[in-house]
Amino acid sequence: MRQLIARCFAGTSPAPPERYRIPGVPGDLPPALERLRPARLVPAAVLVPLIERPQGLTVLLTVRAPGLRHHAGQVSFPGGRLDPTDTGPLQAALREAREEVGLSGELVEVAGYLPNYMTITGFSVTPVVGFVAGEFQPHPDTTEVSEAFEVPLEVLLDPGSMQLRHKRFMGVKLPFFEMPWGEHLIWGATAAMLVNFRDILRGYGE
């Protein structure tokens, strides 16, 4: 699996913020969804950490602290908006991972990039896929992260793991994916990025 991922994402680069992929919405955004798009998207980045455990690759996820302004209490990847000092999504994702869970960039081998994802809060998020050395153990900063946990990658890649749902936002029907894992619910932007990851791997292998 590691070799497949490395081959699949080799040579990929981050897309500009205005280019994104929302799974469940084929092609361009329908007009009803397009009018919800903010006039200016805020660039952000997350790290999709694939930890090389003895039993296989796992994906590190976090639970955002309850006091945060955006998406408090939700399951997410380590990440956040780009700071003025960040040279790009990669530096932002590694910086946030270090701040949130104590992950040193020296333990990360970057595989490549997923398509951007646009959130309803106005962020265009660039996911950076990286292999993380197996000796890493997360140490969450409780001001940003209330918990860190891991899910086997093979579970997340199972075609039946993510369920497509719909909800209404400002009168518009929006698609979203969700997957329960123990006491957690993986959904929204995080689930969508995982679906993009799964779809890209599936397409590469066909």
Side-chain angles (χ1 to χ4, degrees):
M1 178 58 71
R2 189 192 195 283
Q3 289 76 16
L4 172 63
I5 295 170
R7 291 197 305 270
C8 182
F9 289 98
T12 56
S13 58
E18 62 272 12
R19 288 178 53 196
Y20 45 82
R21 180 178 189 267
I22 300 178
V25 179
D28 296 333
L29 282 183
L33 294 180
E34 184 64 41
R35 66 183 173 86
L36 295 180
R37 172 181 165 172
R40 179 181 176 275
L41 292 170
V42 179
V46 297
L47 182 67
V48 181
L50 307 177
I51 306 181
E52 300 181 278
R53 301 299 189 197
Q55 67 273 25
L57 292 173
T58 67
V59 179
L60 177 70
L61 296 167
T62 67
V63 179
R64 292 173 60 83
L68 294 178
R69 180 178 178 184
H70 294 292
H71 308 288
Q74 292 187 11
V75 172
S76 69
F77 295 114
R81 71 172 66 204
L82 269 66
D83 283 351
T85 55
D86 292 326
T87 57
L90 174 57
Q91 184 177 358
L94 293 177
R95 173 182 54 76
E96 291 282 353
R98 183 180 67 251
E99 294 173 359
E100 293 183 8
V101 294
L103 174 57
S104 169
E106 296 178 355
L107 297 179
V108 181
E109 179 184 340
V110 176
Y113 300 84
L114 289 171
N116 295 339
Y117 181 82
M118 182 187 71
T119 72
I120 60 174
T121 49
F123 291 91
S124 181
V125 185
T126 303
V128 181
V129 180
F131 298 108
V132 178
E135 64 264 28
F136 170 69
Q137 295 298 327
H139 298 283
D141 177 348
T142 55
T143 62
E144 297 191 64
V145 172
S146 62
E147 182 184 352
F149 65 98
E150 297 174 39
V151 182
L153 178 60
E154 62 182 15
V155 172
L156 295 170
L157 295 182
D158 188 310
S161 62
M162 294 288 182
Q163 300 300 312
L164 177 62
R165 311 290 191 205
H166 291 86
K167 64 178 178 180
R168 289 207 163 268
F169 178 75
M170 297 178 63
V172 178
K173 187 178 181 182
L174 298 176
F176 70 96
F177 288 85
E178 66 177 18
M179 170 190 154
W181 177 257
E183 60 184 17
H184 303 294
L185 181 65
I186 304 167
W187 74 288
T190 302
M193 294 175 208
L194 287 167
V195 171
N196 280 341
F197 182 78
R198 183 193 68 192
D199 289 350
I200 289 171
L201 284 184
R202 182 184 299 170
Y204 186 86
E206 291 177 352

